[in-house]
Amino acid sequence: MSNEIDSKTKRDKLAPRREPYWAPLQKGAAVGFRKLENGTGTWIARWRDDEGKQKYRALGEFDKFDDAAKAARAWVESCEQGAKTGVTTVKEVCEDYVKALRAEGRHATAKDAEGRFTRLVYGEPLARLPIDKLRATSVSKWLNEQIEDDEEADEEDVRRSKDSANRNLATLKAALNRALQHRIVATDAGWATVQKFPKVGARRKDAFLSMEQRKALLAACPEDLALFVKAALLTGARPGELATLNAGDFDKQLGALTLTGKTGRRTVAISSAAVAFFIEAGKDKLPAAPMLATAYGQRWNKDSWKKIFKDAVAAAKLPDAVVMYALRHTAISEMILAGMDSFIVAKLAGTSVAMIEANYGHLRHDVVTAKLDRVAML
């Protein structure tokens, strides 16, 4: 039988019709070209199962016959191996996974998975892809887009976002692997090679600075950086929030700062020592001027502070693990150790109570234990 569709020249001469023009691939399988009225066309695959029923699969648009035939053969092969013949999207796979978890009685896991899929998958192009057309490049792109790596993000922010992205990837892979186990797709080539970010799961160690270490660090910093470091220790604010702080964001009468960062804008109370510090730092500055600037009058960012902060850490003989985020960690730790309520600390730090408890709960237990020790039980 002559092949009417194996070249563009032949296809251009075909009359438009709904019924595809077919070319056989093997016994029981064929690839077809549906000619449209506008002169273009789409490709479709056909396969006959063991019961003699014809199954069809839309392949989309291809410029070359060989590419369409290759896609058709891949689909036919997956059908012969027992994969589902119809189109199942990534979103449908995720939804089925959540239903399966609930059926198994794993309601907490189902709720967590559904939340991740709702936030990160269902509204993305990835969700609309047929699972057998999923590619590792698409999954990698989805994973990398979750990483916080803008000008305000410090090393700890990036670590945390990578750690969170790893958990999201694990949940998505669990749903995709279930689809593989149930023969909805014939291979895991579309996601198996996508790896999680390495060495980002552990909370940074040696991030708390003792009073002696803080003094040594301030003494080792150049004057402009020392002001930035001191502001971080006095407030517990994120480095990026201090970098964007304007002189007009300080209210001397209320003793408060308005900070802008990853969680939006918030106005927080500050200590008397911090009030005195910002009065001096903002002296003679216009409201729109940076409250804390480099020696050149520019705003700080992670590129401008990274090297000189690292040099100061080395000069102060502090652990290599100490980064700018350690100042925020130290300030929050001191608030907890002083007995401040987690809710108040969370509001001041611009985070959640759950995050405070997860990262600083051990300090809260120490405070409670110390207070209990002062109570005479026996």
Side-chain angles (χ1 to χ4, degrees):
M1 178 183 290
S2 62
N3 190 329
E4 300 176 288
I5 60 176
D6 61 356
S7 73
K8 186 177 185 302
T9 301
K10 292 180 181 180
R11 295 193 296 273
D12 287 343
K13 295 178 181 179
L14 297 174
R17 71 183 195 188
R18 177 168 180 76
E19 173 62 23
Y21 293 87
W22 295 101
L25 296 175
Q26 62 189 55
K27 184 178 179 180
V31 62
F33 179 76
R34 178 177 287 129
K35 185 68 175 291
L36 304 178
E37 294 290 343
N38 62 6
T40 63
T42 60
W43 297 86
I44 188 169
R46 184 180 68 194
W47 173 71
R48 182 182 292 107
D49 64 17
D50 294 338
E51 298 176 355
K53 295 181 180 179
Q54 294 279 18
K55 305 293 182 180
Y56 298 88
R57 178 65 182 273
L59 302 175
E61 298 180 1
F62 293 93
D63 293 330
K64 297 180 179 179
F65 171 82
D66 288 346
D67 292 336
K70 181 179 179 180
R73 288 191 181 95
W75 175 73
V76 170
E77 182 180 356
S78 69
C79 291
E80 291 175 339
Q81 293 175 1
K84 182 179 177 182
T85 57
V87 176
T88 301
T89 65
V90 172
K91 181 179 180 181
E92 290 171 329
V93 166
C94 293
E95 291 172 336
D96 287 345
Y97 175 66
V98 172
K99 291 177 183 177
L101 289 174
R102 290 202 174 102
E104 295 169 6
R106 300 168 61 187
H107 298 291
T109 304
K111 183 178 180 181
D112 177 78
E114 186 174 44
R116 293 178 192 274
F117 294 151
T118 300
R119 294 193 310 272
L120 300 165
V121 177
Y122 294 160
E124 298 297 319
L126 186 80
R128 298 188 292 273
L129 286 175
I131 187 174
D132 60 353
K133 290 187 177 180
L134 186 62
R135 298 293 178 265
T137 51
S138 298
V139 179
S140 293
K141 182 175 182 292
W142 169 82
L143 181 67
N144 291 329
E145 286 176 347
Q146 299 175 45
I147 306 309
E148 182 172 351
D149 195 19
D150 55 28
E151 291 187 357
E152 293 184 13
D154 56 36
E155 292 181 33
E156 181 64 10
D157 285 330
V158 174
R159 184 199 69 77
R160 287 172 182 265
S161 64
K162 286 183 177 179
D163 186 25
S164 178
N166 282 349
R167 293 192 291 272
N168 298 330
L169 176 64
T171 302
L172 177 62
K173 278 192 170 186
L176 297 173
N177 287 332
R178 180 181 180 276
L180 178 67
Q181 293 166 3
H182 286 74
R183 307 305 299 165
I184 294 173
V185 63
T187 174
D188 60 359
W191 65 88
T193 58
V194 181
Q195 300 297 314
K196 65 181 183 179
F197 296 103
K199 301 179 181 179
V200 296
R203 185 161 54 94
R204 186 178 297 279
K205 297 179 180 179
D206 300 321
F208 179 82
L209 302 181
S210 67
M211 187 64 70
E212 291 73 18
Q213 289 176 318
R214 293 170 224 171
K215 291 179 179 179
L217 177 61
L218 286 168
C221 288
E223 184 177 352
D224 55 350
L225 184 62
L227 291 175
F228 195 87
V229 168
K230 192 170 184 179
L233 289 169
L234 285 170
T235 63
R238 296 180 179 87
E241 294 172 338
L242 294 174
T244 59
L245 185 68
N246 292 329
D249 293 329
F250 169 55
D251 190 323
K252 181 172 62 175
Q253 301 303 319
L254 289 178
L257 287 179
T258 297
L259 299 166
T260 304
K262 61 182 290 186
T263 56
R265 288 174 64 84
R266 70 181 187 281
T267 299
V268 297
I270 55 177
S271 67
S272 298
V275 169
F277 169 82
F278 285 111
I279 288 176
E280 184 63 26
K283 186 181 297 184
D284 300 327
K285 290 185 177 180
L286 295 174
M291 174 65 82
L292 303 163
T294 68
Y296 303 101
Q298 299 173 329
R299 289 190 184 276
W300 287 100
N301 59 56
K302 63 178 180 180
D303 293 325
S304 59
W305 74 56
K306 187 173 182 178
K307 183 181 185 304
I308 55 177
F309 184 84
K310 185 176 181 180
D311 291 342
V313 167
K317 298 181 180 180
L318 302 181
D320 292 338
V322 174
V323 293
M324 187 65 77
Y325 191 89
L327 308 176
R328 172 175 165 84
H329 176 77
T330 298
I332 294 175
S333 297
E334 288 288 17
M335 294 177 194
I336 295 295
L337 288 169
M340 290 180 64
D341 183 82
S342 295
F343 177 80
I344 296 175
V345 176
K347 290 294 183 183
L348 294 175
T351 188
S352 65
V353 173
M355 186 64 71
I356 291 294
E357 292 294 342
N359 291 285
Y360 303 93
H362 62 293
L363 299 179
R364 168 64 62 190
H365 297 323
D366 290 346
V367 171
V368 173
T369 298
K371 289 182 178 180
L372 285 171
D373 288 345
R374 292 194 291 270
V375 179
M377 299 294 187
L378 296 172

